[in-house]
Coordinates of all heavy atoms in Angstrom, one line a residue:
M1 N 0.8 -1.2 0.0 CA 0.0 0.0 0.0 C 0.9 1.2 0.0 O 2.0 1.2 0.4 CB -0.9 0.0 1.2 CG -0.1 0.3 2.5 SD -1.2 0.6 3.9 CE -1.8 2.2 3.5
T20 N -9.2 20.4 5.7 CA -9.5 20.1 4.3 C -9.9 18.6 4.2 O -10.7 18.4 3.3 CB -8.2 20.3 3.5 OG1 -7.7 21.6 3.8 CG2 -8.5 20.2 2.0
N45 N -6.9 16.0 -1.7 CA -7.5 17.4 -1.4 C -6.6 18.2 -0.5 O -6.5 19.4 -0.6 CB -8.8 17.2 -0.8 CG -9.9 16.9 -1.8 OD1 -9.6 16.6 -2.9 ND2 -11.2 17.0 -1.4
D85 N 9.8 -6.6 -0.5 CA 10.2 -7.7 -1.3 C 9.9 -7.5 -2.8 O 10.7 -7.7 -3.6 CB 9.4 -9.0 -0.8 CG 9.9 -9.3 0.6 OD1 11.0 -8.9 0.9 OD2 9.1 -10.0 1.3
S123 N -2.9 38.0 -12.1 CA -1.7 38.9 -12.3 C -0.8 38.9 -11.2 O 0.1 39.8 -11.1 CB -2.3 40.3 -12.6 OG -3.0 40.7 -11.5
N130 N 9.2 28.1 0.6 CA 10.1 27.0 1.2 C 11.6 27.2 0.8 O 12.3 26.2 0.6 CB 9.6 25.6 0.7 CG 8.3 25.3 1.2 OD1 8.0 25.3 2.4 ND2 7.3 25.1 0.3
Y132 N 13.9 28.3 2.9 CA 14.6 28.0 4.1 C 13.8 27.1 5.0 O 12.6 27.4 5.3 CB 15.0 29.3 4.9 CG 15.9 30.2 4.1 CD1 15.3 31.1 3.2 CD2 17.3 30.1 4.3 CE1 16.2 32.0 2.5 CE2 18.1 31.0 3.5 CZ 17.5 31.9 2.7 OH 18.3 32.7 1.9
D163 N 15.9 42.3 9.4 CA 16.8 42.6 8.3 C 17.5 41.3 7.9 O 18.1 40.6 8.8 CB 17.8 43.7 8.7 CG 18.5 44.2 7.5 OD1 19.3 43.4 6.8 OD2 18.4 45.4 7.2
P190 N 12.8 20.8 20.3 CA 12.8 22.2 19.8 C 11.3 22.6 19.6 O 10.5 21.8 19.2 CB 13.6 22.1 18.5 CG 14.3 20.9 18.5 CD 13.6 19.9 19.4
G204 N 10.4 45.8 0.6 CA 10.9 46.0 1.9 C 10.1 47.0 2.8 O 9.4 47.8 2.3
L212 N 11.9 43.1 6.2 CA 10.5 43.0 6.2 C 10.0 43.2 7.6 O 10.8 43.2 8.6 CB 10.1 41.6 5.7 CG 10.6 40.3 6.4 CD1 9.9 40.1 7.7 CD2 10.4 39.1 5.5
T215 N 3.6 41.9 12.3 CA 2.7 42.5 13.3 C 2.4 41.4 14.3 O 1.7 40.4 14.0 CB 1.4 43.0 12.6 OG1 1.7 43.7 11.4 CG2 0.6 43.8 13.6
S233 N 5.4 34.3 20.2 CA 4.9 35.8 20.3 C 5.7 36.5 21.4 O 6.1 37.6 21.2 CB 3.4 35.9 20.4 OG 3.0 35.5 21.7
K240 N 15.2 42.6 21.0 CA 15.9 44.0 21.0 C 16.6 44.2 19.7 O 16.9 43.2 19.0 CB 16.9 44.0 22.2 CG 16.4 43.7 23.5 CD 15.9 44.9 24.3 CE 15.4 44.6 25.6 NZ 14.3 43.6 25.7
K241 N 16.8 45.4 19.4 CA 17.5 45.7 18.2 C 18.9 45.0 18.2 O 19.6 45.0 19.2 CB 17.7 47.3 18.1 CG 18.0 47.8 16.8 CD 17.9 49.3 16.8 CE 18.6 49.8 15.5 NZ 18.7 51.3 15.5
Y251 N 6.3 31.2 3.0 CA 5.2 30.3 2.7 C 4.0 31.0 2.1 O 3.9 32.2 2.3 CB 4.6 29.6 4.0 CG 5.7 28.9 4.8 CD1 6.0 29.3 6.1 CD2 6.3 27.7 4.2 CE1 7.0 28.6 6.8 CE2 7.3 27.1 5.0 CZ 7.6 27.5 6.2 OH 8.5 26.8 7.0
N264 N -8.8 46.4 -7.9 CA -9.3 46.9 -6.7 C -9.1 45.9 -5.5 O -9.2 44.7 -5.8 CB -10.8 47.2 -6.8 CG -11.1 48.0 -8.0 OD1 -10.4 49.0 -8.3 ND2 -12.2 47.7 -8.7
L266 N -10.6 44.8 -1.8 CA -11.6 44.9 -0.7 C -11.0 44.1 0.4 O -10.9 42.9 0.3 CB -12.9 44.4 -1.2 CG -14.1 44.3 -0.2 CD1 -14.3 45.6 0.5 CD2 -15.4 43.9 -0.9
T272 N -4.4 41.6 14.5 CA -3.2 41.4 13.7 C -3.5 40.8 12.3 O -2.5 40.6 11.6 CB -2.2 40.4 14.5 OG1 -3.0 39.3 14.8 CG2 -1.7 41.1 15.7
M280 N -0.3 45.0 1.6 CA -0.9 45.3 0.3 C -1.2 46.8 0.1 O -1.0 47.4 -0.9 CB -2.2 44.6 0.1 CG -2.0 43.1 0.0 SD -3.6 42.2 -0.3 CE -3.1 40.5 0.0
L297 N -9.2 51.1 -3.2 CA -9.0 50.3 -2.0 C -10.0 50.6 -1.0 O -10.4 51.8 -0.7 CB -7.6 50.7 -1.4 CG -6.4 49.9 -1.9 CD1 -6.1 50.3 -3.3 CD2 -5.2 50.2 -1.0
M298 N -10.6 49.5 -0.4 CA -11.6 49.7 0.6 C -11.2 48.8 1.8 O -11.0 47.6 1.5 CB -13.0 49.4 0.1 CG -14.2 49.8 0.9 SD -15.7 49.6 0.1 CE -16.8 50.6 1.1
G302 N -11.5 45.8 12.2 CA -12.2 45.8 13.5 C -11.2 45.6 14.7 O -10.2 44.9 14.5
I323 N -7.7 55.5 -0.3 CA -8.3 54.4 0.4 C -9.5 54.8 1.2 O -9.6 55.8 1.8 CB -7.3 53.7 1.2 CG1 -7.8 52.4 1.9 CG2 -6.7 54.6 2.3 CD1 -6.8 51.5 2.5
V340 N -16.8 44.3 12.1 CA -16.6 44.6 10.6 C -17.8 44.3 9.8 O -18.1 45.0 8.9 CB -15.3 43.8 10.1 CG1 -14.0 44.5 10.4 CG2 -15.3 42.4 10.4
D342 N -20.9 44.7 10.7 CA -21.9 45.8 10.8 C -21.5 46.9 9.8 O -22.4 47.4 9.2 CB -21.9 46.3 12.2 CG -22.2 45.3 13.2 OD1 -23.1 44.4 13.0 OD2 -21.5 45.2 14.3
R383 N -27.9 41.0 -1.7 CA -29.3 40.9 -1.9 C -29.9 42.3 -2.1 O -30.8 42.5 -3.0 CB -30.0 40.1 -0.7 CG -31.4 39.7 -1.1 CD -32.1 39.0 0.1 NE -31.4 37.9 0.6 CZ -31.1 37.7 1.9 NH1 -31.3 38.6 2.8 NH2 -30.4 36.6 2.3
Y407 N -8.0 32.4 11.9 CA -7.3 31.6 12.9 C -8.1 31.6 14.2 O -8.8 32.5 14.5 CB -5.9 32.0 13.1 CG -5.6 33.4 13.0 CD1 -5.8 34.2 14.2 CD2 -5.2 34.1 11.8 CE1 -5.6 35.6 14.1 CE2 -5.0 35.4 11.8 CZ -5.2 36.2 12.9 OH -5.0 37.5 12.9

Side-chain angles (χ1 to χ4, degrees):
M1 70 168 291
T20 310
N45 282 11
D85 293 340
S123 60
N130 295 303
Y132 297 86
D163 192 298
L212 57 76
T215 314
S233 70
K240 306 268 177 308
K241 204 171 164 182
Y251 303 116
N264 310 317
L266 174 52
T272 52
M280 293 185 192
L297 272 70
M298 194 171 193
I323 184 168
V340 282
D342 302 318
R383 194 184 301 129
Y407 37 84

